[in-house]
Amino acid sequence: YDDPTFLRIMKDFDEIAATNFINMPENVFPFLRHILNSGDKLIKTAERPHDYIRAEVRQHRETFDQNDIRDYIDSFLLEMMGTQDQNNSSFTEEQLVQTVFDLFIGGTESTATGMRWAILLMAENPDIQRKGRGSYLYILSFYNIILSL
């Protein structure tokens, strides 16, 4: 991937995931919010991906066609438009932005972390590497893929 915007967002997601925000002193002792500012960097880092998602939502609004629902954002926008009581609805633009953010960070960071652990465990356990390789070769054989070893 060589898209600078995508790379910047992925770096932001890595920074967010690396932050132990649940155990920040301000979350344990709320009065420390007036003294410490460790959450400020996390909030600022999360703003870039949120801004990117807001821009995507704007673009989807401009090109929206209720007869051609392209993705999750279009589906959410359609539901927003169909909601009678906009003031009491959970289908708001800010909720859409946060949901897309959550899906994105959950999908990318969870997958990346899982892959890191799998690689680490296989590196430390050659017998598991052999079993995994055997499983892959077995599955690929069903698709008549010839692997050169």
Side-chain angles (χ1 to χ4, degrees), residues 8-75:
R8 178 71 236 179
I9 289 171
M10 293 310 300
K11 186 171 190 265
D12 290 340
F13 281 143
D14 286 343
E15 287 180 27
I16 292 165
T19 304
N20 192 0
F21 53 87
I22 292 175
N23 293 325
M24 284 182 174
E26 299 94 323
N27 289 335
V28 178
F29 304 106
F31 67 89
L32 290 176
R33 290 181 192 150
H34 305 290
I35 302 166
L36 303 175
N37 63 355
S38 54
D40 292 351
K41 182 177 186 246
L42 178 64
I43 291 168
K44 187 174 182 162
T45 302
E47 273 308 305
R48 279 187 295 260
H50 279 97
D51 290 343
Y52 175 78
I53 295 167
R54 283 186 193 96
E56 285 293 314
V57 169
R58 271 192 302 277
Q59 180 192 17
H60 274 70
R61 272 190 192 278
E62 292 168 3
T63 60
F64 182 77
D65 177 4
Q66 69 180 18
N67 297 315
D68 182 24
I69 302 302
R70 300 164 291 189
D71 54 21
Y72 178 80
I73 294 174
D74 278 352
S75 296

Side-chain angles (χ1 to χ4, degrees), residues 131-148:
K131 287 179 184 177
R133 184 174 186 274
S135 294
Y136 290 133
L137 291 173
Y138 177 75
I139 291 167
L140 293 175
S141 70
F142 285 108
Y143 297 101
N144 295 322
I145 296 175
I146 299 170
L147 299 175
S148 60

